Amino acid sequence: MADGRDRGGVRMTGAIRLRRDVRAGDLTAVAGVRRALRELVRTRIPADTADVAELLVSELVTNALLHTGHGAVVTATLGPSALRVEVRDFVPELPDPYVPVPDEGTHGRGLLLVQALADAWGVHTQGVGKVVWFELSDVKPPA
């Protein structure tokens, strides 16, 4: 599993891709990104893996919108053996997952979910911002 700071990832030949731009502050777009990802992976990967992918992309897009004050670019690439999702924002500060205190409600758990559920994840600077990504491996189509 990646430690969250490496570039990681694999080149995926013959992959299908999704790209969505999300405007700054448009939290309603999170649901649209989830739906687009679901459509990309529908019938191509197991339903439980698709559920995990939707949860994780929701967390990363929400984090990008709430913590940067800018928009984001979401890219998902489904290859023969892995799904990679990247959320690029336009603020170079790297996130640090932290353990939230109990009275913070659900705030602060997004990257902890990514760490727990993704097969690999990471963050790296890119241009004027950063990319936070995750991968789900062995995404074989359902029988």
Side-chain angles (χ1 to χ4, degrees), residues 46 49 80-83 119 136-140:
T49 304
S81 64
L83 171 67
D119 294 311
L136 301 175
S137 301
D138 299 321
V139 290
K140 309 266 188 288

Side-chain angles (χ1 to χ4, degrees), residues 2 6-7 9-10 16 26 34-35 40 52 55 82 85 90 113 122 131 138 141:
D6 60 346
R7 293 187 69 97
V10 294
I16 57 173
D26 186 5
R34 274 196 321 263
R35 279 191 304 275
L40 174 78
V52 169
L55 172 64
V85 176
F90 303 95
L113 285 171
V131 173
D138 299 321

Side-chain angles (χ1 to χ4, degrees), residues 22-30 61-62 64-66 68-72:
V22 181
R23 291 189 319 263
D26 186 5
L27 291 174
T28 62
V30 175
V61 173
T62 300
L65 296 177
L66 289 178
T68 69
H70 296 277

Side-chain angles (χ1 to χ4, degrees), residues 23-94:
R23 291 189 319 263
D26 186 5
L27 291 174
T28 62
V30 175
V33 169
R34 274 196 321 263
R35 279 191 304 275
L37 182 63
R38 173 63 74 169
E39 186 60 31
L40 174 78
V41 301
R42 189 175 59 86
T43 73
R44 294 183 175 105
I45 69 174
D48 58 339
T49 304
D51 292 342
V52 169
E54 283 185 70
L55 172 64
L56 298 184
V57 76
S58 296
E59 293 296 335
L60 294 186
V61 173
T62 300
N63 282 353
L65 296 177
L66 289 178
H67 298 295
T68 69
H70 296 277
V73 177
V74 180
T75 306
T77 306
L78 178 60
S81 64
L83 171 67
R84 180 180 176 97
V85 176
E86 299 179 347
V87 178
R88 179 174 186 229
D89 64 45
F90 303 95
V91 174
E93 288 80 27
L94 300 178

